[in-house]
Amino acid sequence: MTSIRKAVLPVAGLGTRVLPATKSVPKEMLPVFDRPAIQYVVNEALEAGIEHFVFVTGRNKGAIEDHFDRAYELEASLHQKNKANILKELEAERPPAGSMSFVRQQAPLGLGHAVWCARDVIGDEPFAILLPDVIVKAAPSCLAQMTAIHEEKGGNIIAVEAVPWDKVDQYGIVAPESRENRTVRMSGMVEKPKRDEAPSNLSITGRYILQPEIFSVLESQDKGAGGEIQLTDAMATLMERQDFFALEYEGTSYDCGSKQGYLRAFLQFALSHEEEGSASLETLRRVLDENNA
């Protein structure tokens, strides 16, 4: 079984749901407590063994590339001031040289088009897709759980989580055919179904492992909802000739593309921080007391 070595991160979106914060700052660079959101996503992929990252970018996204580069002046200053712990932390999260590629989408033609833009870098091998709007708190990481299932079953893997039945109309929902523990063989996908028409309450999380044949499907894919090339449409076509599995992973996702989802993520990672968690809890209690006074 071919291992998953490469991952695509579509980061060209404008972040309109969290404006005005993203007017001049890429949404992926908004801090979630002590590091930008994109760093959590990359760390998740690294834990799963990803060796090369393909960022599909747009205009005004240079801060992402800079974040994963060396900051010589900053590092020299930290060294001079003997801030060894901070310097070590920065170095630990800097990817190896040559392990990241940046390609331009050039036009907002949809998620499917963004993935297609990475075709030449990915080549003829299965790969992962991680939507940077979504941070997943899990141990092992969500993508690591997915790669383990891929090694066992092959095919295409989609991460899912159960949502309340009265909220299925807010998500993409998978149609199950059969189930083995947390792994579900899929027969289809439905975008935002009504409750009484939903085939399950398993929502698509924003993590995928796909076979390279998806690129040829995207190449000829007609525009779908919103006049964009939809990845969901291409996956539905590929499902007609390849296996698709949904993994109900163990963990919790946070939609940082919405203001409330971003707030939930910020609070969760602040409260669970190894060194700052207790202080964060005390700060939160103080703020709540002040607002209830």
Side-chain angles (χ1 to χ4, degrees):
M1 190 68 63
T2 303
S3 61
I4 307 301
R5 302 186 310 111
K6 297 177 181 179
V8 175
L9 286 78
V11 296
L14 297 177
T16 53
R17 290 188 294 160
V18 286
L19 282 168
T22 51
K23 181 179 179 181
S24 60
V25 178
K27 61 180 179 178
E28 299 83 8
M29 291 301 296
L30 291 177
V32 177
F33 193 52
D34 62 346
R35 47 185 35 83
I38 192 68
Q39 186 68 62
Y40 291 98
V41 179
V42 168
N43 289 351
E44 174 190 339
L46 287 170
E47 183 183 331
I50 295 299
E51 301 172 6
H52 195 97
F53 295 82
V54 187
F55 291 85
V56 183
T57 71
R59 295 181 65 250
N60 302 320
K61 296 285 185 169
I64 298 174
E65 190 168 355
D66 290 342
H67 173 71
F68 290 106
D69 200 356
R70 296 197 68 129
Y72 290 99
E73 296 84 355
L74 173 61
E75 293 176 15
S77 177
L78 292 173
H79 181 76
Q80 186 177 21
K81 295 177 180 179
N82 294 317
K83 295 185 179 293
N85 289 339
I86 299 177
L87 183 59
K88 184 178 180 180
E89 187 173 5
L90 289 177
E91 291 175 343
E93 293 195 338
R94 185 173 62 241
S99 64
M100 292 192 167
S101 300
F102 295 82
V103 299
R104 285 291 187 103
Q105 188 178 11
Q106 298 181 338
L109 298 178
L111 176 58
H113 180 262
V115 172
W116 178 79
C117 289
R119 66 198 182 283
D120 288 340
V121 184
I122 295 298
D124 188 25
E125 61 183 281
F127 64 102
I129 302 171
L130 298 94
L131 302 191
D133 283 353
V134 180
I135 297 177
V136 181
K137 189 172 181 59
S141 79
C142 177
L143 189 60
Q145 295 177 50
M146 295 172 68
T147 56
I149 295 299
H150 181 265
E151 290 175 1
E152 176 187 342
K153 296 183 175 298
N156 302 268
I157 315 291
I158 298 176
V160 298
E161 59 184 332
V163 297
W165 279 95
D166 61 353
K167 296 187 183 298
V168 293
D169 61 349
Q170 301 176 22
Y171 302 93
I173 300 295
V174 303
E177 181 177 293
S178 60
R179 185 181 185 107
E180 180 183 346
N181 298 319
R182 287 183 168 269
T183 305
V184 176
R185 181 180 290 273
M186 295 171 52
S187 60
M189 295 171 286
V190 183
E191 187 65 28
K192 299 181 179 180
K194 296 179 181 179
R195 176 173 179 168
D196 57 354
E197 297 176 356
S200 75
N201 67 332
L202 298 176
S203 70
I204 299 172
T205 299
R207 300 291 187 267
Y208 314 83
I209 292 175
L210 298 179
Q211 297 298 317
E213 287 78 12
I214 195 71
F215 292 122
S216 61
V217 177
L218 289 167
E219 182 85 42
S220 57
Q221 185 73 47
D222 293 331
K223 292 181 179 180
E228 298 179 339
I229 299 173
Q230 298 293 341
L231 180 62
T232 303
D233 294 341
M235 290 192 296
T237 299
L238 189 60
M239 197 179 299
E240 296 173 359
R241 54 181 184 268
Q242 289 189 358
D243 290 334
F244 268 74
F245 300 95
L247 171 65
E248 190 176 357
Y249 70 93
E250 296 185 74
T252 304
S253 69
Y254 300 90
D255 178 12
C256 292
S258 71
K259 292 178 180 178
Q260 291 304 313
Y262 173 72
L263 177 60
R264 286 184 62 236
F266 196 105
L267 292 173
Q268 178 59 55
F269 283 92
L271 294 172
S272 62
H273 193 278
E274 184 175 352
E275 297 175 357
E276 301 287 340
S278 296
S280 298
L281 179 58
E282 182 59 32
T283 298
L284 178 58
R285 285 172 173 164
R286 188 160 56 247
V287 170
L288 291 173
D289 288 343
E290 291 170 353
N291 279 270
N292 291 329

